[in-house]
Amino acid sequence: MELRPHYRTIVLSDIHLGTTHSKVDEVSDFLSTVDCDRLILNGDIIDGWHLQKSGVKKWKPQHTRFFKIIMKMMEKCGTEVIYVRGNHDDFLDNLVPLQFSNVSIVKDYILESNGRHYFVTHGDVFDKVTTEMKWLAKLGDVGYTLLLWMNGMYNRYRAKQGKPYFSLSQAIKHKVKSAVSYISDFEKVLVDFARKRDCDGVICGHIHHPENRIVDGIHYLNSGDWVETLSALTEDENGVWEVVNYSDVINQLNKTAKLTILSVAS
């Protein structure tokens, strides 16, 4: 029985390799359990902002393992890799566009899927904070890092009490009016741009808020992040898109493995 799911496309973004809050082991484990024809790394994969401040000492063996897994996917499955630069890995600006073997490094990308066209972008270029007020974006990044540290402390306390994980930053995004408005405005700008480009949909990241819905007739897809939500976008052979969460994928694989063991035993 085949245990590994196969997808036409997988989209990952906002892994932030080089930061202490990056869930690099989880995203590597996820990629180790799936196959795909096309892997889109949609920005902020490597966090150049943090590596610039802290140096190479923040680069760990786990980070190298992540890229080794991708190279293995390319070797064994012929996976095409498209790396779209983001604001935290804007050091790639001097390289794009660049193509070697089946790897492309680009600023944006048009994906054709079952006759539909999707504009693929990290999304930071549509965010006035990151484009016009970079100093404020970096200040916000410091605040977000502090919030994640507080979140870790809080969830260690919850774990001792036998309570499940609770995301402070996600709760803030859903409840604080300005944050909700920011997400809504971000979605609208991207949807309007996709329409002007005669695209049927848009695929982005940047705001760490996974989504799969129709906005004003345009298919809006956001891959989330691997700092808190641990989410990705997948496209099956029929062109159907889905937001998948790491915990759901691992749970499903465990169930399938148990059923296989039971089937063999019987």
Side-chain angles (χ1 to χ4, degrees):
M1 181 181 293
E2 179 60 54
L3 298 180
R4 297 173 64 86
H6 181 275
Y7 299 104
R8 180 188 289 174
T9 307
I10 293 176
V11 183
L12 301 172
S13 69
D14 299 275
I15 301 174
H16 292 278
L17 297 176
T19 69
T20 56
H21 302 290
S22 173
K23 301 299 189 297
V24 60
D25 289 331
E26 287 82 352
V27 70
S28 295
D29 290 344
F30 167 68
L31 285 180
S32 297
T33 63
V34 296
D35 295 323
C36 66
D37 300 327
R38 182 190 300 111
L39 175 64
I40 299 177
L41 302 172
N42 199 7
D44 286 4
I45 305 303
I46 300 171
D47 199 312
W49 291 7
H50 280 267
L51 288 174
Q52 187 178 25
K53 290 185 293 185
S54 58
V56 294
K57 63 181 180 180
K58 287 292 184 180
W59 191 264
K60 306 294 183 183
Q62 302 97 299
H63 303 148
T64 303
R65 176 189 172 227
F66 169 76
F67 286 105
K68 283 184 176 180
I69 291 171
I70 292 176
M71 287 189 286
K72 188 174 182 180
M73 294 172 72
M74 293 167 59
E75 179 184 354
K76 296 190 70 174
C77 304
T79 301
E80 178 188 9
V81 178
I82 298 104
Y83 193 137
V84 182
R85 54 75 74 198
N87 52 306
H88 282 259
D89 41 23
D90 55 5
F91 58 87
L92 294 172
D93 281 344
N94 293 326
L95 296 177
V96 297
L98 176 66
Q99 184 168 0
F100 55 95
S101 185
N102 51 344
V103 177
S104 300
I105 303 176
V106 296
K107 287 188 176 181
D108 53 54
Y109 179 74
I110 299 293
L111 171 65
E112 185 174 354
S113 169
N114 286 31
R116 295 175 295 176
H117 293 82
Y118 289 83
F119 180 70
V120 184
T121 175
H122 178 65
D124 60 293
V125 294
F126 298 92
D127 182 349
K128 286 187 177 181
V129 173
T130 58
T131 57
E132 299 177 10
M133 296 175 285
K134 196 169 185 178
W135 64 272
L136 184 58
K138 291 194 174 184
L139 182 62
D141 183 58
V142 172
Y144 182 60
T145 301
L146 177 60
L147 182 60
L148 290 174
W149 177 80
M150 293 171 59
N151 190 67
M153 297 283 288
Y154 178 58
N155 276 287
R156 280 192 286 272
Y157 169 77
R158 287 178 63 87
K160 290 179 181 179
Q161 302 297 315
K163 296 179 180 179
Y165 178 86
F166 178 79
S167 172
L168 288 173
S169 72
Q170 291 296 311
I172 289 172
K173 285 180 183 179
H174 283 88
K175 293 182 179 180
V176 176
K177 187 176 181 179
S178 60
V180 174
S181 177
Y182 169 78
I183 292 173
S184 176
D185 291 345
F186 178 80
E187 293 175 351
K188 186 178 185 304
V189 169
L190 278 167
V191 163
D192 288 344
F193 185 83
R195 183 181 290 106
K196 290 175 182 177
R197 290 288 297 266
D198 293 324
C199 289
D200 305 283
V202 60
I203 300 172
C204 61
H206 186 53
I207 59 174
H208 297 201
H209 187 74
E211 192 65 81
N212 176 12
R213 65 190 183 97
I214 304 298
V215 179
D216 295 333
I218 300 294
H219 193 184
Y220 174 84
L221 291 158
N222 191 304
S223 50
D225 68 284
W226 289 83
V227 175
E228 287 197 88
T229 64
L230 279 64
S231 59
L233 292 171
T234 61
E235 179 200 19
D236 68 14
E237 294 300 325
N238 298 314
V240 177
W241 289 91
E242 183 181 0
V243 174
V244 298
N245 296 300
Y246 171 75
S247 58
D248 294 336
V249 171
I250 297 302
N251 289 339
Q252 184 58 46
L253 285 170
N254 289 338
K255 288 180 182 179
T256 303
K258 287 179 181 178
L259 289 173
T260 302
I261 293 172
L262 289 174
S263 175
V264 171
S266 61

